[in-house]
Amino acid sequence: MNTPLRKYLLITLSVILIITAATALVMNKHRLFGGQEDNTLKVAATLNGIGCYFYRQQVGGLECDLLEAYADDHGLGILFIKAGSAEDAVAMVARGEVDIATAGLSPSDAAVDGVDFSDVLFETRKVLVQRRAFAASSLSELDGRELTLPADEDYYFTLFEAARENGVYLKRNTMPTPLDGKPELTVQVSQKNLSILELIDGVSTGTIDLTLAEEHIVSGHFGQRENLNTQYVFGPSRNVVFALAQQDNNMLRDSVNRWLSSEHAQAVMTPYRRDKRDQNNHHDQSRHLQQGEQPASGGHIPTGRF
């Protein structure tokens, strides 16, 4: 075979290999992300502080930080689509409208047809958010206080079970005051649909007396406040996962799980782990009001505060 012909064949073979590799890469991305030609990872999120949130017109939060890093490492764009609730976010995955849902989900939340879930991202717990100056170590010490809950029934059920086990009466506006002398904690649900971060901020500034939050949120970058106490924990830890579009070849699930063990993913997790460790190591000795301070009056939120 003469030299010009050999060169021609080598060049032709190289071009074919390059085109084949590029086509395979695109096809893999298409199969991985629902056949989208723009290679954009679509994510459903409540964006209310559970999993992800808006901060200064940008999406933040541990779960969304992980997904943005994942998309970046895979050369993908990413589009966050607001869901009305965690259930709505999972349903969007099941219907094929998005690739992933993130909303502080547990594996049981993703246990529906058409939805898979990732490996565990981290563990979290529901905690009582209160100011250090007036911190109580038990629910019975909250007699006469007011707790503002997020607009999520799961938070009320968590509080209801804890109150029942501790002999504390939960007073709602429509309920009469008990006559048996039980400690009484007034409960109201946020009427302004405030995010978890706004409720945490309200406790810190004193416009709200108490609230409940997920531990990973209140210990994170934008939820952590120096004057807050989160030592009272409700129930055991639970695992947090992503809900993923279910596929026959498990390509998306396997891709996400492989990446979660990468150095980049662990680097995204490091600040959260450090914040959580620092908070857990803090031992709050004071159980008394600081001189000149008063707890928030009934948890009232002044008009226009948020």
Side-chain angles (χ1 to χ4, degrees), residues 110-156:
V112 297
D113 291 340
V115 177
D116 208 339
F117 53 90
S118 69
D119 288 342
V120 175
L121 308 176
F122 54 87
E123 294 182 348
T124 192
R125 305 173 293 182
K126 285 185 175 64
V127 295
L128 177 66
V129 182
Q130 50 186 336
R131 281 178 290 163
R132 294 193 192 281
F134 329 117
S137 58
S138 68
L139 288 186
S140 61
E141 294 180 18
L142 298 178
D143 185 31
R145 306 279 295 275
E146 183 169 289
L147 190 150
T148 303
L149 288 172
D152 186 324
E153 289 185 353
D154 183 54
Y155 282 88
Y156 180 77

Side-chain angles (χ1 to χ4, degrees), residues 6-18:
R6 184 182 297 110
K7 287 183 178 180
Y8 172 78
L9 290 175
L10 288 174
I11 292 172
T12 301
L13 180 60
S14 298
V15 170
I16 292 173
L17 289 174
I18 291 172

